[in-house]
Amino acid sequence: MSSTGPGPMTGLSFRTAVAADLPRVVALIADDAIARARTGEVGPEHEAAFAAIDADANNELVVVELDGEVVGTMQLTVIPGISRRGASRLLVEAVRVDRGLRGQGVGRAMMTWAHAWGVARGCTLAQLTSDKQRADAHRFYRSLGYEQSHEGFKLPLLRA
């Protein structure tokens, strides 16, 4: 899937990631102190995760290009549900914009595109998690209309 993004940042294109994008995707995700240690360098674990995402019709790893260069990424997942009258949810994860382009509308265009992607797949609610240390990201998501309505919990099941 490929399309031009909406919003103030023009020239963006969105497409499904391919295996050759994996090094850039991992680099974007790891480009901050919070995620660096838990993301690591691209390797077999990332390749296996990419293959699983690519094979799952309810998952899409998206890359965003500007002038042919990958400048953003996000993972979108449709979660069918029983609650909320059988509503499907759009889970937005691992949203990253190239450090040099932050604050220029790329993230807003990405989220607008993600919401449209979810609506096209029957999602009635978008949700995401964000590390508690990411105050700038929280302001950004609130500016899009997201509400901090729930407390999130995580439990490591496997120790690395």
Side-chain angles (χ1 to χ4, degrees):
M1 172 191 324
S2 180
S3 68
T4 300
M9 174 61 84
T10 59
L12 295 176
S13 61
F14 295 71
R15 64 174 172 80
T16 302
V18 296
D21 295 317
L22 196 54
R24 178 64 174 144
V25 167
V26 171
L28 283 166
I29 293 171
D31 186 27
D32 70 29
I34 296 168
R36 189 171 296 114
R38 62 185 178 210
T39 301
E41 300 289 325
V42 68
E45 302 93 341
H46 299 102
E47 293 166 1
F50 174 82
I53 293 165
D54 195 45
D56 183 345
N58 282 330
N59 267 289
E60 185 149 350
L61 183 62
V62 176
V63 293
V64 182
E65 293 182 320
L66 179 63
D67 299 326
E69 179 185 345
V70 174
V71 298
T73 189
M74 60 187 163
Q75 182 179 344
L76 306 177
T77 304
V78 174
I79 304 171
I82 299 298
S83 65
R84 295 181 184 251
R85 304 177 60 90
S88 289
R89 298 164 190 249
L90 168 64
L91 177 64
V92 183
E93 283 291 316
V95 177
R96 296 296 194 282
V97 173
D98 183 275
R99 168 177 308 279
L101 292 174
R102 292 180 190 157
Q104 298 182 36
V106 176
R108 189 165 298 274
M110 288 172 62
M111 295 301 290
T112 299
W113 192 91
H115 297 156
W117 184 95
V119 167
R121 286 154 183 78
C123 296
T124 60
L125 176 74
Q127 63 186 36
L128 54 84
T129 61
S130 180
D131 192 287
K132 288 187 176 194
Q133 300 175 67
R134 296 186 188 281
D136 290 342
H138 301 168
R139 278 190 294 279
F140 170 67
Y141 293 127
R142 282 192 298 272
S143 80
L144 295 172
Y146 282 81
E147 296 177 9
Q148 291 175 278
S149 61
H150 291 68
E151 287 291 324
F153 298 88
K154 295 189 184 218
L155 173 69
L157 298 178
L158 296 174
R159 309 270 186 228

